[in-house]
Amino acid sequence: MDGHDADNSKQSTSDMTAFVQNLLQQMQNRFQTMSESIIVMGNRIDELEQSINDLRAEMGQEGSPSPSPALKTKEEPKSSQDS
């Protein structure tokens, strides 16, 4: 039986090695896909930012503050009055 157990052990080790290699390959493929998606998304964001800047330049508002800081300055006096 010792020979049979050794064969089972070798087969089990071989199966486990194949399983782990397959799992690592799947993880690498998924990581590569996610990395590519992130790069594409970053490029799209860059294009969107450029389009926004182009539109602002066309409208002559390149030097105007964005709406966000304007909202913050309106909120600050309210908070100081409440205190």
Side-chain angles (χ1 to χ4, degrees), residues 41-73:
M41 191 181 311
N43 291 338
R44 289 181 179 172
I45 290 171
D46 290 343
E47 290 172 4
L48 180 60
E49 287 176 337
Q50 185 60 48
S51 295
I52 290 170
N53 289 335
D54 291 346
L55 287 171
R56 290 179 74 193
E58 285 178 20
M59 295 173 65
Q61 296 181 357
E62 195 168 304
S64 300
S66 65
S68 298
L71 291 174
K72 288 181 181 177
T73 43

Side-chain angles (χ1 to χ4, degrees), residues 5 7 10 13 19 23-24 45 51 80:
D5 288 341
D7 289 342
K10 287 180 184 178
T13 302
F19 174 78
L23 185 61
L24 288 172
I45 290 171
S51 295
S80 63

